[in-house]
Amino acid sequence: KIGKDANETLPMVYLAGISWQTSRSILLSVEGGKETDQKAIGRFGLEYHIAKPAWIRVGILSQPVEFTFGAGIASGKFRFDLSSSWHRILGYSFQSSVSYSFF
């Protein structure tokens, strides 16, 4: 709780997940979570390695229902990722990232 006499509590988030590399090309991921005073959620993902430097990904979030998809490509120590998610109320959201590995 926050403060001695306050009725407000800090939220707690519990998460657990597992991934399984079924072959050199496919990675399956599952995650479950629970936040204080919220329903439990599930996340499911699939990553497919198209060719040596490229991946495509799809995912589903259970509560609220949300669909995600994306693609990534690696070139040397650089990595480029593009993704999009669809929410039933908010519509589409697009994201991108550029990463560099120093090691």
Side-chain angles (χ1 to χ4, degrees), residues 12 52 56 78 90:
M12 296 290 292
K52 187 173 183 177
I56 58 173
F78 281 99
L90 302 175

Side-chain angles (χ1 to χ4, degrees), residues 22 25-29 44-48 56-60 70:
T22 63
S25 300
I26 297 174
L27 175 71
L28 299 172
S29 300
F44 310 93
L46 169 71
E47 179 178 272
Y48 180 66
I56 58 173
R57 301 173 189 100
V58 294
I60 299 173

Side-chain angles (χ1 to χ4, degrees), residues 2-63:
I2 300 174
K4 267 188 166 180
D5 300 323
N7 290 328
E8 189 175 350
T9 60
L10 290 173
M12 296 290 292
V13 179
Y14 304 94
L15 297 170
I18 190 167
S19 63
W20 178 36
Q21 186 86 39
T22 63
S23 68
R24 289 183 181 216
S25 300
I26 297 174
L27 175 71
L28 299 172
S29 300
V30 177
E31 180 183 88
K34 174 80 171 91
E35 186 175 338
T36 309
D37 300 330
Q38 301 288 326
K39 292 182 179 181
I41 59 168
R43 292 183 178 101
F44 310 93
L46 169 71
E47 179 178 272
Y48 180 66
H49 195 126
I50 299 170
K52 187 173 183 177
W55 300 266
I56 58 173
R57 301 173 189 100
V58 294
I60 299 173
L61 173 66
S62 68
Q63 217 35 275

